[in-house]
Amino acid sequence: MAEGLLQVDVASLVEDVLQQHGKRLSDIDLASRKAEEASSRRCEAAGWLRKMVGVVVGKDLPDQPSEEEFRLGLRSGIILCNALNKVQPGAVTKVVEAPSDAVIVPDGAALSAYQYFENIRNFLDSVGGMGIPVFEASDLEQGGKSCRIVNCVLALKSYNDWKEGGGRGVWKFSGTSKPPSIAKQFVRKNSELFMNSLSRNSSINEKFSDSLSSEQNSCSDLGQHISETGISHSLHILVRELLSDKKQEDIPMVVENMLSKVMEEFELRLARQNDQVRQTLRDMGIPSSNKHEEIEIANIVQEKSWSENGFYDGKSKGDALNHQGLVEHQQKSIQALKNTLHSTKEDVQMICMKYQEEINNLGKHLNGLVSAASGYQKVLEENRKLYNQVQDLKGNIRVYCRIRPFLPGQPSGSSIVEVIDEKTLTVLTPSKHGKGKKSFTFNRVFGPSANQEEVFSDTQPLIRSVLDGYNVCIFAYGQTGSGKTHTMTGPRELTKESIGVNYRALSDLFLISEQRKDSISYDVSVQMIEIYNEQSGVNVPSANLVPVTSTTEVLNLMNIGMKNRVVGSTAMNDRSSRSHSCLTVHVQGRDLSSGSVLRGCMHLVDLAGSERADKTEAVGERLKEAQHINRSLSALGDVISSLAQKNSHVPYRNSKLTQLLQDSLGGQAKTLMFIHISPEPNALGETISTLKFAERVSTVELGAARANKESVDVRELKEQIASLKAALMRKERGESGIQQSRSISPDEVLATSLGSSPSHSSWQSLGDTSKVEGRSNPLTISRVQSFDNQDFMDSPPWPALSSPGSMDEEKCISGDWVDKVIVKKQGGLSGDSNLGKWDEDGGQSPEMFYQKYNLENSKVYPVQSLNQLSDHRRFGLDHGLGRTQCEARANDEPDDLEAETSDCSEIDYQWQLSVPRSNCIPNGVTSKVGRVSPKPIKSPETRSLIPQPRRVVNGMRSPLHKYGRQPASTDGKRKPGGLK
Ligand SMILES: Nc1ncnc2c1ncn2[C@@H]1O[C@H](COP(=O)(O)OP(=O)(O)OP(=O)(O)O)[C@@H](O)[C@H]1O
């Protein structure tokens, strides 16, 4: 803005001046200008003459004479003649001198007109001859034209100058103009400043001066010059107009006048601009502290303006102005910087705002992401829950795999098992098994470094389930020495850290029951059962079902049980478990507010080690043990296979083990199998066999787990029904019937009729049911026989089955378990020879019971209703009708034992056993009637010694199993001792 104000266009300025003053310029008083010029010329001429003739001769002529003085001084002609003689010696041979000082004429007049005339004439003649313009003698008189005298003198002077300059060329007087001196003189007089600018502007000054001094200094020339300097066309026209009617000799004065006006205008504009600049500076906030500074700023502005217009390059103003210019420039720079700063600040603020906005948006976005992430976590958790629920609903057996570490003292070698992630492992297989890696996936894989706590942590939820009324089964499977006992119980020396699943589970159980005591009252009882050589027994003497109230009590019992467990030394494990050990925990909870009852049970099973007979180097008793162990494990494989194939018939009954686990393998239980593998290369076959078996197990669907819970109302109604049915049954038998051996509570009837687990039945039958349920039942009926652990203990050797054709057809009963039981009991009570034995021990001989019951059921249950039956019923049917060729063959071929044992040498021996045999019909139920072998079934299990049931003492049965009372025989089958 300031710069714009400072810019001055000279051309437009002159143009403006001419437009404003052009007309008036013609009115300028040329006379005065002329007089002035004449005076100047006169003085010049006088000065030159005095110089030429000297002070003495020229005493009559003042230095700056008036016209009169000039004329009088030269009137005698003496000065002129002397001057001429100086220029041209001898030009006037005789100069009439003035009289002596005594004869001085007061008015300066010549002594005589003649004498004067003589001198003047000689002079004029001489100069005339020299080509110098002359004057009239009368011009020296008053009224004469002194200007002609001046012209003559100046011409002579010019001649003299030419001559003194060497007289080169031809001297030629150029007239009245006195180019440089005149121009200089009058310009300097008006404006030195402007002249300076002109002198610096060569394009204007030189040409302008030249034009003034030139003989062709016509208006057109001047106009041409002006035009050539780039002045606008309108200016050119104006100048031409202005000068066109002027005499040549007037032009300098006109121009001077015009320029003086231009200067005035110029200075006026500069003043205005200075004001504007000051105002601008004030507006810009730059204080001008004093007048001096203002002037300097104005000068700088002016200088800049001139400089920009080409008049002035700043040098002549000196360093001060330069300094001021620098200061001003710096101030301007500062201001510019301030402006930049300001705009930058605004920009920064803008950016900050945008940044803030973006931050806010980002924050919102992040919040969204955080909530999405937490939502995602929730969804993940939910998914996990749902997954478990789905698993529960599907009822899959969960399979966890644990890899034992190399043991101290073992030859160190590289492990054949590699944990890939928490669900996957690979086994390195040498060429024999197809070189490479076989990978297996389970619900969890625990590497060799996993400790007891980690292993248990994934088991914990199941403990809670027991208290919620579910049946739970946790069993450990694996090759001898692979770590089953370590997982379930712990190492030989137990510490808080090393205790196994059993102890931890019970500890949790009591902890949770304690936490819930305000709402639910729990009763817990435990039982330790051992299956040794397909014979079962209790490990805890004096009682097979012991109420417990704390972990310590359980630990004491378990210690006793563990001491009584059959262990022996094999080539693979110097402390090998030679039996299947099952710790069963029964829980009954009563909701204190609603009165509803929950029942749950948990089997904690430590299976005997699977092993190849040849590997264990077993002979004698140890070989027999191995055969039994493998047989029962093979039976387990068969059961698993049947379940995996969803066969309607599942051969639980083929071994005590599968009978024991029946409610957990096929019922509505939550089942977890820990499989154990060893890392040694020489265990590869067993390892792969175990893994394949486990893989297969993991596909088994058990059906949705269901809590054993019932409300008080429903329960009361069911009790009534059960009572009525029991009464009806008694009535049907007649009052004269056989004395009932034992009273049965409606609960017992209900328990079976509702399909609760055999364990529950067992518990109820062994305990004081009226106490458990908090009510007494006056009804006395025959003991309900369920297939439970007690049955294992009580079961005598299996008698030969009659052919189905020999079975008595009995009436079909509607399918209720109670009915079934009743019918069974009826059969049992209607004159069976074994009855006395049963009664004697407070119940029917299981052997007889099974036989009778099965036969009866084969007639009672229509084939099409089988699938709707509970497991108990199915078991009943399996037992009676379900003796398919498969089972029959299994039972009919005791020699298979050897074959099965030898099968163990094959990697997939379980699968060989589990694959349905060719003559097995999947649906054994439908096919069994016509195919049941008439051959009496030989059951290896039943050949074993089965302990006799004992009477109930104080609500508990007396110790039954011989192994419960005495340690293993000296052959190492049983060893007393503490915990392993
Ligand atoms: N995870 C483990 N960490 C440390 N030692 C272990 C582990 N698993 C097993 N062992 C040790 O290996 C040996 C054999 O283990 P264990 O007796 O538990 O095997 P097992 O499968 O029960 O054998 P068997 O079937 O012959 O009874 C024991 O000395 C045991 O302490």
Side-chain angles (χ1 to χ4, degrees), residues 402 404-405 407 479-486 573 576-577 609:
R402 188 175 191 184
R404 174 174 63 67
L407 298 175
Q479 176 193 7
T480 284
S482 56
K484 298 181 294 295
T485 307
H486 186 88
N573 185 3
S576 179
S577 309

mmCIF file of all heavy atoms in Angstrom, residues 402 404-405 407 479-486 573 576-577 609, ligand 1:
data_model
loop_
_atom_site.group_PDB
_atom_site.id
_atom_site.type_symbol
_atom_site.label_atom_id
_atom_site.label_comp_id
_atom_site.label_asym_id
_atom_site.label_seq_id
_atom_site.Cartn_x
_atom_site.Cartn_y
_atom_site.Cartn_z
ATOM 1 N N ARG A 402 -2.235 -85.089 28.020
ATOM 2 C CA ARG A 402 -1.083 -84.625 28.811
ATOM 3 C C ARG A 402 0.154 -85.434 28.411
ATOM 4 O O ARG A 402 0.079 -86.671 28.335
ATOM 5 C CB ARG A 402 -1.360 -84.787 30.298
ATOM 6 C CG ARG A 402 -0.280 -84.152 31.137
ATOM 7 C CD ARG A 402 -0.608 -84.189 32.616
ATOM 8 N NE ARG A 402 0.311 -83.353 33.361
ATOM 9 C CZ ARG A 402 0.314 -83.241 34.668
ATOM 10 N NH1 ARG A 402 -0.565 -83.908 35.400
ATOM 11 N NH2 ARG A 402 1.187 -82.454 35.273
ATOM 12 N N ARG A 404 3.805 -86.600 29.305
ATOM 13 C CA ARG A 404 4.719 -86.719 30.455
ATOM 14 C C ARG A 404 6.112 -86.248 30.052
ATOM 15 O O ARG A 404 6.551 -86.461 28.919
ATOM 16 C CB ARG A 404 4.767 -88.183 30.905
ATOM 17 C CG ARG A 404 5.804 -88.433 32.002
ATOM 18 C CD ARG A 404 5.781 -89.828 32.578
ATOM 19 N NE ARG A 404 6.083 -90.908 31.679
ATOM 20 C CZ ARG A 404 7.263 -91.145 31.110
ATOM 21 N NH1 ARG A 404 8.271 -90.307 31.284
ATOM 22 N NH2 ARG A 404 7.427 -92.200 30.342
ATOM 23 N N PRO A 405 6.806 -85.602 30.982
ATOM 24 C CA PRO A 405 8.197 -85.230 30.672
ATOM 25 C C PRO A 405 9.100 -86.454 30.783
ATOM 26 O O PRO A 405 8.697 -87.484 31.321
ATOM 27 C CB PRO A 405 8.536 -84.210 31.762
ATOM 28 C CG PRO A 405 7.648 -84.553 32.901
ATOM 29 C CD PRO A 405 6.393 -85.130 32.318
ATOM 30 N N LEU A 407 11.690 -88.641 32.491
ATOM 31 C CA LEU A 407 11.875 -88.781 33.940
ATOM 32 C C LEU A 407 13.350 -88.794 34.290
ATOM 33 O O LEU A 407 14.187 -89.158 33.458
ATOM 34 C CB LEU A 407 11.213 -90.078 34.409
ATOM 35 C CG LEU A 407 9.701 -90.149 34.182
ATOM 36 C CD1 LEU A 407 9.176 -91.517 34.563
ATOM 37 C CD2 LEU A 407 8.987 -89.069 34.986
ATOM 38 N N GLN A 479 -0.987 -95.305 28.485
ATOM 39 C CA GLN A 479 -0.036 -96.389 28.603
ATOM 40 C C GLN A 479 0.542 -96.444 30.025
ATOM 41 O O GLN A 479 0.563 -95.426 30.726
ATOM 42 C CB GLN A 479 1.074 -96.124 27.584
ATOM 43 C CG GLN A 479 2.216 -97.075 27.591
ATOM 44 C CD GLN A 479 3.378 -96.528 26.770
ATOM 45 O OE1 GLN A 479 3.328 -95.380 26.315
ATOM 46 N NE2 GLN A 479 4.399 -97.330 26.596
ATOM 47 N N THR A 480 0.961 -97.569 30.396
ATOM 48 C CA THR A 480 1.638 -97.705 31.693
ATOM 49 C C THR A 480 2.778 -96.695 31.808
ATOM 50 O O THR A 480 3.566 -96.541 30.877
ATOM 51 C CB THR A 480 2.205 -99.136 31.815
ATOM 52 O OG1 THR A 480 1.129 -100.014 32.101
ATOM 53 C CG2 THR A 480 3.205 -99.239 32.939
ATOM 54 N N GLY A 481 2.801 -96.063 32.916
ATOM 55 C CA GLY A 481 3.897 -95.132 33.184
ATOM 56 C C GLY A 481 3.780 -93.797 32.483
ATOM 57 O O GLY A 481 4.698 -92.978 32.526
ATOM 58 N N SER A 482 2.631 -93.539 31.868
ATOM 59 C CA SER A 482 2.507 -92.270 31.130
ATOM 60 C C SER A 482 2.047 -91.120 32.021
ATOM 61 O O SER A 482 2.040 -89.969 31.611
ATOM 62 C CB SER A 482 1.546 -92.431 29.939
ATOM 63 O OG SER A 482 0.302 -92.889 30.395
ATOM 64 N N GLY A 483 1.649 -91.434 33.244
ATOM 65 C CA GLY A 483 1.353 -90.343 34.179
ATOM 66 C C GLY A 483 -0.097 -90.247 34.618
ATOM 67 O O GLY A 483 -0.518 -89.208 35.108
ATOM 68 N N LYS A 484 -0.846 -91.300 34.501
ATOM 69 C CA LYS A 484 -2.272 -91.248 34.883
ATOM 70 C C LYS A 484 -2.422 -90.984 36.379
ATOM 71 O O LYS A 484 -3.154 -90.095 36.790
ATOM 72 C CB LYS A 484 -2.953 -92.594 34.520
ATOM 73 C CG LYS A 484 -2.946 -92.905 33.044
ATOM 74 C CD LYS A 484 -3.635 -94.207 32.732
ATOM 75 C CE LYS A 484 -2.933 -95.431 33.285
ATOM 76 N NZ LYS A 484 -1.605 -95.680 32.700
ATOM 77 N N THR A 485 -1.692 -91.789 37.159
ATOM 78 C CA THR A 485 -1.798 -91.615 38.609
ATOM 79 C C THR A 485 -1.243 -90.258 39.021
ATOM 80 O O THR A 485 -1.764 -89.617 39.932
ATOM 81 C CB THR A 485 -1.038 -92.755 39.326
ATOM 82 O OG1 THR A 485 -1.523 -93.996 38.821
ATOM 83 C CG2 THR A 485 -1.252 -92.702 40.818
ATOM 84 N N HIS A 486 -0.217 -89.852 38.309
ATOM 85 C CA HIS A 486 0.358 -88.539 38.607
ATOM 86 C C HIS A 486 -0.693 -87.445 38.438
ATOM 87 O O HIS A 486 -0.814 -86.536 39.253
ATOM 88 C CB HIS A 486 1.540 -88.283 37.662
ATOM 89 C CG HIS A 486 2.290 -87.035 37.971
ATOM 90 N ND1 HIS A 486 3.333 -86.989 38.859
ATOM 91 C CD2 HIS A 486 2.116 -85.763 37.520
ATOM 92 C CE1 HIS A 486 3.803 -85.756 38.930
ATOM 93 N NE2 HIS A 486 3.067 -84.990 38.129
ATOM 94 N N ASN A 573 6.973 -99.554 34.579
ATOM 95 C CA ASN A 573 6.655 -98.677 35.708
ATOM 96 C C ASN A 573 6.824 -99.493 36.980
ATOM 97 O O ASN A 573 6.101 -100.460 37.198
ATOM 98 C CB ASN A 573 5.216 -98.150 35.572
ATOM 99 C CG ASN A 573 4.886 -97.136 36.643
ATOM 100 O OD1 ASN A 573 5.747 -96.785 37.453
ATOM 101 N ND2 ASN A 573 3.645 -96.672 36.663
ATOM 102 N N SER A 576 3.446 -99.642 39.026
ATOM 103 C CA SER A 576 2.326 -99.631 38.085
ATOM 104 C C SER A 576 1.010 -99.981 38.787
ATOM 105 O O SER A 576 0.953 -100.858 39.640
ATOM 106 C CB SER A 576 2.603 -100.642 36.974
ATOM 107 O OG SER A 576 1.537 -100.656 36.079
ATOM 108 N N SER A 577 -0.046 -99.232 38.404
ATOM 109 C CA SER A 577 -1.375 -99.542 38.915
ATOM 110 C C SER A 577 -1.899 -100.744 38.134
ATOM 111 O O SER A 577 -1.966 -100.668 36.910
ATOM 112 C CB SER A 577 -2.308 -98.350 38.714
ATOM 113 O OG SER A 577 -1.699 -97.208 39.231
ATOM 114 N N GLY A 609 -2.935 -99.133 33.545
ATOM 115 C CA GLY A 609 -2.195 -98.765 32.337
ATOM 116 C C GLY A 609 -2.443 -99.712 31.187
ATOM 117 O O GLY A 609 -2.498 -100.925 31.368
HETATM 118 N N1 LIG B 1 3.709 -84.783 34.450
HETATM 119 C C1 LIG B 1 4.634 -85.441 35.150
HETATM 120 N N2 LIG B 1 5.639 -84.758 35.720
HETATM 121 C C2 LIG B 1 6.586 -85.387 36.441
HETATM 122 N N3 LIG B 1 6.587 -86.695 36.646
HETATM 123 C C3 LIG B 1 5.610 -87.429 36.114
HETATM 124 C C4 LIG B 1 4.600 -86.826 35.326
HETATM 125 N N4 LIG B 1 3.774 -87.787 34.910
HETATM 126 C C5 LIG B 1 4.251 -88.932 35.437
HETATM 127 N N5 LIG B 1 5.345 -88.709 36.137
HETATM 128 C C6 LIG B 1 6.126 -89.718 36.822
HETATM 129 O O1 LIG B 1 6.234 -90.826 35.974
HETATM 130 C C7 LIG B 1 6.140 -92.021 36.705
HETATM 131 C C8 LIG B 1 4.970 -92.855 36.184
HETATM 132 O O2 LIG B 1 3.822 -92.120 36.389
HETATM 133 P P1 LIG B 1 2.463 -92.785 36.878
HETATM 134 O O3 LIG B 1 2.671 -93.841 37.897
HETATM 135 O O4 LIG B 1 1.548 -91.705 37.222
HETATM 136 O O5 LIG B 1 2.029 -93.462 35.529
HETATM 137 P P2 LIG B 1 0.732 -94.330 35.281
HETATM 138 O O6 LIG B 1 0.239 -93.980 33.943
HETATM 139 O O7 LIG B 1 -0.206 -94.156 36.409
HETATM 140 O O8 LIG B 1 1.322 -95.773 35.229
HETATM 141 P P3 LIG B 1 0.539 -97.159 35.482
HETATM 142 O O9 LIG B 1 -0.510 -97.216 34.471
HETATM 143 O O10 LIG B 1 1.576 -98.170 35.298
HETATM 144 O O11 LIG B 1 0.017 -97.039 36.843
HETATM 145 C C9 LIG B 1 5.943 -91.618 38.135
HETATM 146 O O12 LIG B 1 7.185 -91.630 38.784
HETATM 147 C C10 LIG B 1 5.430 -90.218 38.053
HETATM 148 O O13 LIG B 1 5.751 -89.469 39.191
#
